[in-house]
Amino acid sequence: MLSAFYSFHLQMGRGPLMNPVPESAERRALLSHRSPLEPTAAVRRAPLRQRVAERVPRSIPDPLWGELFTAMGNHRDRALLAFYVSSGARATELLGPRGGQVDWAAQRIWVTSKGTRTLDPLPASPDAFRYLSWYLDEHGRVGPDEEVWRTLRRPVRPLSYWAMRRVLQRADERLGTNWTLHDLRHTAAARMAADPRLTLVEVQTVLRHRHLSTTELYLQPRTEELFDKLAEHYARPTVVPPRFAAGYDDVDVKAVFGG
């Protein structure tokens, strides 16, 4: 806490003679001897305390997504990216399923949710299951109790979060980008929110957000796409309707020039 930092140095005889971030007396009165069973009272910010801006989730535009997907060197990594961007699963959730938790007929994969620890089904795209089948054909099928995602080098072991993170880092080094695994979930959420056939509540259900306000963050347009649309808007010629001098009959003008 910044106010406590300055208060400590003020008591020790170091720093400024006046706390530049004082704590509001109203806030101290409300929080002192407060019962933990009661809800926290809403108070105004103390003087000089700046409001923290809410960051827009960063998603990958489609052209850059194509470059990132092409940079994957094997079917396992392509399948993982396809599952991430179509299911909206979190990074650690998608690495946990076993062979019996892949529903090939219904095109779903079962993951253990991070917060509730429940086993939930997530839909995925046909491309994701296609790359998954190619990966399993190359490196061997898995049993119902075996991990789906494994290392490609021997000894074969389950693929960890840090190993998958390194896969994305190597692609970033080749492309000169800095995408993260969590950006893949943001990309899936932005694509779902932009689909007019999906309601916001349906997107919230797939992403398993507790509050609808979290899902609403993905309704904001990407800055890059907004710039492209504005550039097209500025380049679009303005159509000025023809004007005729007063005294011409509209019927005669239409007969001569059409319309």
Side-chain angles (χ1 to χ4, degrees):
M1 185 176 179
L2 193 57
S3 179
F5 170 80
Y6 283 109
S7 298
F8 170 77
H9 286 281
L10 182 62
Q11 294 175 2
M12 300 300 294
R14 301 189 299 265
L17 298 178
M18 182 179 294
N19 191 339
V21 189
E23 189 171 3
S24 171
E26 179 186 4
R27 181 177 179 84
R28 289 198 303 268
L30 288 174
L31 297 182
S32 61
H33 305 291
R34 183 179 60 85
S35 172
L37 300 179
E38 298 178 358
T40 303
V43 296
R44 298 180 61 183
R45 295 196 312 276
L48 304 181
R49 287 180 178 270
Q50 296 182 355
R51 183 187 298 272
V52 179
E54 190 173 13
R55 298 180 58 185
V56 179
R58 188 179 68 162
S59 58
I60 308 175
D62 291 342
L64 298 181
W65 165 257
E67 294 179 358
L68 180 63
F69 191 82
T70 306
M72 298 296 105
N74 53 76
H75 290 316
R76 183 204 63 184
D77 298 341
R78 298 186 189 99
L80 277 165
L81 258 65
F83 270 104
Y84 275 126
V85 82
S86 62
S87 67
R90 297 179 178 89
T92 54
E93 292 174 347
L94 189 58
L95 298 176
R98 299 176 181 271
Q101 296 171 340
V102 179
D103 191 345
W104 294 90
Q107 302 281 283
R108 297 181 301 179
I109 188 168
W110 295 74
V111 300
T112 302
S113 293
K114 179 181 177 181
T116 60
R117 308 304 300 173
T118 58
L119 195 62
D120 298 321
L122 293 181
S125 65
D127 287 339
F129 282 93
R130 186 180 306 111
Y131 283 109
L132 176 59
S133 64
W134 292 343
Y135 152 63
L136 295 178
D137 288 342
E138 288 182 353
H139 300 279
R141 295 286 173 173
V142 295
D145 297 327
E146 296 178 337
E147 290 81 1
V148 174
W149 310 109
R150 301 162 293 175
T151 58
L152 302 181
R153 298 179 180 178
R154 297 184 179 277
V156 178
R157 56 189 182 276
L159 186 68
S160 65
Y161 167 83
W162 303 107
M164 185 58 201
R165 180 171 176 261
R166 185 56 189 153
V167 168
L168 199 59
Q169 286 178 343
R170 285 195 293 266
D172 285 335
E173 293 171 358
R174 292 193 296 270
L175 299 175
T177 55
N178 62 341
W179 303 119
T180 64
L181 289 176
H182 205 54
D183 292 338
L184 303 179
R185 174 174 166 85
H186 291 328
T187 304
R191 289 183 176 184
M192 294 178 190
D195 192 339
R197 298 186 179 182
L198 292 176
T199 65
L200 197 61
V201 177
E202 292 172 341
V203 178
Q204 178 193 12
T205 303
V206 175
L207 297 176
R208 290 156 294 137
H209 286 155
R210 181 174 299 179
H211 304 290
L212 189 62
S213 58
T214 305
T215 314
E216 290 177 346
L217 296 176
Y218 298 97
L219 294 177
Q220 302 185 29
R222 298 188 184 100
T223 305
E224 299 83 359
E225 295 179 352
L226 184 59
F227 288 163
D228 294 339
K229 291 182 179 179
L230 285 176
E232 294 177 359
H233 169 72
Y234 298 145
R236 190 178 303 121
T238 303
V239 180
V240 180
R243 296 182 180 181
F244 301 95
Y248 286 96
D249 190 356
D250 293 339
V251 178
D252 296 336
V253 172
K254 290 181 180 179
V256 174
F257 298 100

